[in-house]
Amino acid sequence: MIVIGDLHYKSKEPYRKNILKFLSFLKESFNEESFIWTGDIVDSTKDSFHAYSELKKELESFGSHHYILMGNHDYKDSHGSPLYLFNSENITVID
């Protein structure tokens, strides 16, 4: 089991490119491990839908399960969080 906190994914370069490199490293090195993401997986809920889709696609490409514990950066005021859309066969979002 791999535990990672505060990824702060965002679409702005060079952050996006470096985070995708990091995710690629994790997938190559720990593909069969389960992952626990301990909050702030995104930097802001103001990022584009494309950015969320890209991150979800990357996580789903792993051969393992991801548990996302939401942090303060993962909420959008009273509107909840776009991370709820990440719930899938191998991603579980925990409020």
Side-chain angles (χ1 to χ4, degrees), residues 12-30:
K12 185 177 178 183
E13 297 295 353
Y15 307 105
R16 178 187 159 276
K17 179 181 173 185
N18 290 325
I19 290 171
L20 291 176
K21 275 184 176 177
F22 177 63
L23 291 174
S24 178
F25 163 77
L26 291 175
K27 185 164 71 171
E28 290 172 15
S29 303
F30 307 104

Side-chain angles (χ1 to χ4, degrees), residues 50-67:
H50 174 74
Y52 286 104
S53 298
E54 180 177 55
L55 178 57
K56 180 181 179 184
K57 182 179 175 183
E58 284 297 315
L59 295 180
E60 288 180 329
S61 72
F62 283 63
S64 57
H65 199 87
H66 298 268
Y67 299 91

Side-chain angles (χ1 to χ4, degrees), residues 7 22 42 58 70:
L7 182 65
F22 177 63
V42 296
E58 284 297 315
M70 295 205 301

